[in-house]
Amino acid sequence: KDVQKEREPHVCLSKEEVKEKIQSYNSSVTDKLKMTLNANGIYTGFIKVQMELCRPITVQSSQSQGRCAHSNNETAFYLPDGCVNTLHISSNNTVREVIEALLKKFFVADNPAKFALYKRCHKEDQVYTCKLSDRERPLYLRLVAGPRTEMLSFVLREHETGEVMWEAFSIPELQNFLRILDKEENDQLQILKNRYADYRDKLEEALRGVLKPG
């Protein structure tokens, strides 16, 4: 269930409160991805982000897996479903910085403004997904929620269709997307043609059996 609700207020924690929460967090960690509190009060840790991208991304690499179309030194391809990436960030890093770091890690050339980071959480036996604002700090949310991803997880998506910033796309990107769509359309058309040809063969075979003398 996707919902747009007011973001939860960021509570200013004292250094002692942060220390206690980090100790509690680390005692519950099962994957060794613990948080560290520095002397200056800034803490660092890890977050996992699931990639749920419906549209192709453009990478600056000539070797990419999956369906692809080439344009100069860039490649547009679909990221595999369910891909999860782990980032090491600090409590000062914002949502916008996390998105930029994710794209850099994947060598994605697309404009970061095309993407949004969501938080997914379970409440009252339902799953809620809420888009985070650019200024929110994911590591703080992770610390407050604890290490259990079923309580809170992060998801990277494109902006909704009505929110797409088309001016952020370059002409080569749009041309790549059109080529991919043309290929998918032709593939689907061929599948339909093959399916109906198979049906036609079976009907003709059945008719021959019915009309056969004797």
Side-chain angles (χ1 to χ4, degrees):
K1 179 180 180 181
D2 286 349
V3 295
Q4 285 289 354
K5 63 176 182 177
E6 293 185 5
R7 64 189 181 95
E8 298 174 5
H10 185 113
V11 179
C12 292
L13 302 175
S14 66
K15 187 174 181 179
E16 189 60 34
E17 288 174 324
V18 170
K19 183 178 179 180
E20 290 177 359
K21 283 188 174 295
I22 289 178
Q23 289 175 343
S24 176
Y25 183 97
N26 289 342
S27 66
S28 302
V29 166
T30 58
D31 55 9
K32 298 182 180 181
L33 300 181
K34 297 184 177 182
M35 293 195 187
T36 303
L37 178 61
N38 301 315
N40 57 6
I42 297 174
Y43 51 97
T44 59
F46 299 85
I47 62 169
K48 295 181 179 180
V49 181
Q50 183 168 347
M51 316 291 276
E52 292 185 355
L53 305 180
C54 299
R55 294 188 287 270
I57 57 174
T58 304
V59 297
Q60 297 174 333
S61 172
S62 59
Q63 295 181 347
S64 301
Q65 295 182 353
R67 296 170 294 170
C68 58
H70 297 276
S71 173
N72 299 326
N73 294 325
E74 294 184 344
T75 302
F77 76 106
Y78 286 92
L79 202 64
D81 291 336
C83 180
V84 177
N85 208 298
T86 302
L87 286 179
H88 185 252
I89 63 175
S90 81
S91 54
N92 281 347
N93 289 132
T94 63
V95 164
R96 180 51 46 189
E97 290 171 334
V98 167
I99 293 175
E100 292 172 353
L102 275 172
L103 299 183
K104 183 178 180 180
K105 195 169 184 178
F106 276 98
F107 302 101
V108 177
D110 297 275
N111 191 320
K114 300 176 188 177
F115 305 92
L117 191 68
Y118 291 75
K119 66 176 180 180
R120 179 180 292 155
C121 54
H122 288 72
K123 288 186 178 180
E124 300 176 355
D125 297 327
Q126 292 193 42
V127 179
Y128 292 89
T129 305
C130 178
K131 187 171 72 172
L132 298 172
S133 70
D134 286 349
R135 294 184 179 181
E136 290 191 78
R137 289 174 167 76
L139 195 60
Y140 167 81
L141 298 176
R142 180 78 279 162
L143 175 63
V144 172
R148 294 172 56 190
T149 54
E150 62 267 27
M151 297 302 297
L152 172 73
S153 59
F154 297 104
V155 180
L156 183 72
R157 294 177 177 174
E158 300 96 344
H159 281 292
E160 298 299 331
T161 304
E163 304 175 38
V164 175
M165 300 176 63
W166 295 109
E167 65 275 12
F169 288 85
S170 67
I171 291 179
E173 287 176 327
L174 294 173
Q175 290 174 337
N176 269 343
F177 297 162
L178 285 174
R179 277 194 286 270
I180 291 174
L181 290 175
D182 287 341
K183 182 180 182 301
E184 290 188 342
E185 182 180 5
N186 291 333
D187 289 345
Q188 291 300 318
L189 183 59
Q190 189 60 48
I191 290 173
L192 287 174
K193 286 182 177 180
N194 292 340
R195 182 182 302 170
Y196 281 102
D198 186 51
Y199 289 159
R200 186 180 298 106
D201 291 341
K202 290 180 179 179
L203 285 172
E204 291 176 348
E205 183 179 353
L207 282 173
R208 285 194 296 268
V210 172
L211 298 177
K212 186 176 180 181

